Amino acid sequence: MTEIKLYKTSTKGLKIIGMCLPFVVLELFLLSDTTYGTTNYVKSWLCICFFGLGILVGLFHTFDRRPQIIITETGIWDRTTNQDEIKWEQIIEAYPLDLFEQKFISLVTDDTYVFKKKPYKWAEKINKEIGAQNLNLHLGQININELELTDFINRLSKQKIEERRKLIKTFENKETKSSVSYFQKIVVYVLISLAMLFLSLSSFVVFMTIMIVMGISAFIARWRPDNAILRKYAGIATWFGLINMVLCIAVIKVYDNITEDVAEQVAIEIEEFQKLNTTLPTDIKSINEKLELNFIERYFANQIDYRTYDNDYELEANMLFGKRRTYDKNNSEWE
């Protein structure tokens, strides 16, 4: 049987994971510095559990490969409606519906269609008030143009079975090309996010500029101007800014933990050298070679500038946002 299977995109799941994962990582780092049994310790675990649950939900949406909508030569079926297949002969009309930026296709059916699960009266009343039907195809998680699909459904409902087969085959080819295009779009979005992250961490001015653009875009998207294209790209810019902010916070926290740990190890080794030799080492390379560091830690250790004066020493390094910072040996942190 000729059929089209429409699947949920992984975008929603990836968005949920992308928003939750940085918070889980942050709280894990905070947890390592928190005393057991304290209020902050409990708060960290609550955050980890809450956002960890979000990651599980995101993984489910990402890897759920069950078809949501199946279109065949005999009818159409949507898993989210919890109803049986709707025969083409039973469809009078299909029309698109936009509710709070969620896309639907409402199906007007004749009296021959019997609901497996009859809608509640209050649900029927709400559907009537918002212009929906008792049968509505939810397209919020499917990457497809709702206007094209609506037109396609209306055409199929008025054709004979032989013509339906031809139309379904034609539409199936278009969907394959669309899937490739969608994958390319995801790759581009990932590359843009990485570029924004790199630029943000290189300059605080760039980071603040992105935040300002995000705020303006969020205002435009919320304002909902009549210009659909402007609203669309404002929404995309808002998401880019939000993801960039979360990634920056996560990277900064991880970076601070790594750099402080490396600097502390270097400082301890220098002081041990001073105790044994009653003098400070002339360079830091010999100190770094003695440390057991992974490749990330070793990379940062090689970026530390070491200099001595009188009977003391100083550690300096270029940090995120291009800022030059000095290591405070007493408080074990970068100033």
Side-chain angles (χ1 to χ4, degrees), residues 1-3 70-77 85-91 156-157 159-161 164-165 168:
M1 181 183 289
T2 308
E3 63 180 19
I70 299 178
I71 300 173
T72 67
E73 58 199 39
T74 59
I76 184 169
W77 174 80
E85 182 186 59
I86 310 154
K87 305 299 181 184
W88 294 118
E89 294 79 10
Q90 296 173 319
I91 297 176
L156 287 176
S157 65
Q159 299 293 335
K160 294 182 179 180
I161 191 167
R164 289 179 200 146
R165 290 196 188 103
I168 289 172

Side-chain angles (χ1 to χ4, degrees), residues 35-54:
T35 306
Y36 175 81
T38 60
T39 304
N40 289 334
Y41 184 86
V42 175
K43 286 180 180 178
S44 293
W45 270 115
L46 287 174
C47 287
I48 290 170
C49 292
F50 177 77
F51 289 107
L53 181 62

Side-chain angles (χ1 to χ4, degrees), residues 132-177:
Q133 298 293 322
N134 291 329
L135 275 174
N136 303 286
L137 309 180
H138 186 206
L139 306 180
Q141 298 183 51
I142 299 177
N143 180 39
I144 194 168
N145 186 298
E146 71 278 7
L147 298 178
E148 289 184 5
L149 183 58
T150 302
D151 180 64
F152 183 65
I153 291 172
N154 282 323
R155 289 169 64 191
L156 287 176
S157 65
K158 294 174 175 60
Q159 299 293 335
K160 294 182 179 180
I161 191 167
E162 294 81 9
E163 290 298 320
R164 289 179 200 146
R165 290 196 188 103
K166 295 178 182 178
L167 288 172
I168 289 172
K169 288 179 180 178
T170 305
F171 193 83
E172 193 173 13
N173 291 333
K174 288 174 63 179
E175 278 301 297
T176 304
K177 294 178 182 178

Side-chain angles (χ1 to χ4, degrees), residues 69-265:
I69 296 176
I70 299 178
I71 300 173
T72 67
E73 58 199 39
T74 59
I76 184 169
W77 174 80
D78 184 355
R79 180 160 50 87
T80 61
T81 61
N82 296 318
Q83 301 292 346
D84 293 328
E85 182 186 59
I86 310 154
K87 305 299 181 184
W88 294 118
E89 294 79 10
Q90 296 173 319
I91 297 176
I92 299 173
E93 180 192 6
Y95 59 89
L97 187 67
D98 190 336
L99 295 175
F100 305 105
E101 298 188 359
Q102 290 293 311
K103 307 297 182 182
F104 294 87
I105 293 179
S106 294
L107 301 179
V108 182
T109 58
D110 59 23
D111 296 334
T112 62
Y113 183 77
V114 180
F115 286 89
K116 183 173 71 174
K117 186 178 180 182
K118 195 172 182 180
Y120 295 105
K121 290 184 178 180
W122 59 266
E124 290 182 345
K125 186 177 180 181
I126 292 175
N127 285 335
K128 187 176 181 180
E129 289 180 356
I130 63 177
Q133 298 293 322
N134 291 329
L135 275 174
N136 303 286
L137 309 180
H138 186 206
L139 306 180
Q141 298 183 51
I142 299 177
N143 180 39
I144 194 168
N145 186 298
E146 71 278 7
L147 298 178
E148 289 184 5
L149 183 58
T150 302
D151 180 64
F152 183 65
I153 291 172
N154 282 323
R155 289 169 64 191
L156 287 176
S157 65
K158 294 174 175 60
Q159 299 293 335
K160 294 182 179 180
I161 191 167
E162 294 81 9
E163 290 298 320
R164 289 179 200 146
R165 290 196 188 103
K166 295 178 182 178
L167 288 172
I168 289 172
K169 288 179 180 178
T170 305
F171 193 83
E172 193 173 13
N173 291 333
K174 288 174 63 179
E175 278 301 297
T176 304
K177 294 178 182 178
S178 177
S179 299
V180 175
S181 174
Y182 180 73
F183 176 75
Q184 292 172 342
K185 188 187 295 185
I186 292 295
V187 173
V188 171
Y189 283 172
V190 170
L191 293 176
I192 291 173
S193 296
L194 292 175
M196 288 175 62
L197 177 63
F198 176 78
L199 292 172
S200 297
L201 296 176
S202 301
S203 171
F204 186 72
V205 175
V206 175
F207 174 76
M208 288 307 301
T209 301
I210 292 174
M211 290 297 97
I212 292 170
V213 172
M214 181 190 73
I216 296 172
S217 300
F219 177 77
I220 294 173
R222 182 65 179 172
W223 179 41
R224 294 183 183 178
D226 295 332
N227 191 328
I229 296 176
L230 180 61
R231 187 172 70 247
K232 173 186 174 182
Y233 286 104
I236 292 173
T238 303
W239 271 109
F240 270 128
L242 185 60
I243 291 171
N244 184 69
M245 181 182 69
V246 173
L247 288 176
C248 281
I249 293 172
V251 170
I252 289 170
K253 183 61 182 177
V254 173
Y255 187 86
D256 285 345
N257 276 273
I258 292 175
T259 54
E260 287 178 3
D261 182 60
V262 171
E264 185 178 5
Q265 291 185 57

Side-chain angles (χ1 to χ4, degrees), residues 8-46:
K8 293 189 296 184
T9 65
S10 57
T11 305
K12 183 175 181 179
L14 292 175
K15 282 181 180 178
I16 296 173
I17 294 171
M19 293 300 296
C20 293
L21 185 59
F23 289 103
V24 172
V25 174
L26 282 173
E27 291 301 330
L28 286 173
F29 274 105
L30 291 174
L31 195 64
S32 62
D33 297 330
T34 307
T35 306
Y36 175 81
T38 60
T39 304
N40 289 334
Y41 184 86
V42 175
K43 286 180 180 178
S44 293
W45 270 115
L46 287 174

Side-chain angles (χ1 to χ4, degrees), residues 319-335:
M319 297 295 188
L320 298 177
F321 303 119
K323 188 176 180 181
R324 187 78 173 172
R325 297 171 69 181
T326 304
Y327 184 70
D328 184 350
K329 301 184 290 293
N330 297 323
N331 297 318
S332 299
E333 62 182 15
W334 291 93
E335 296 180 334

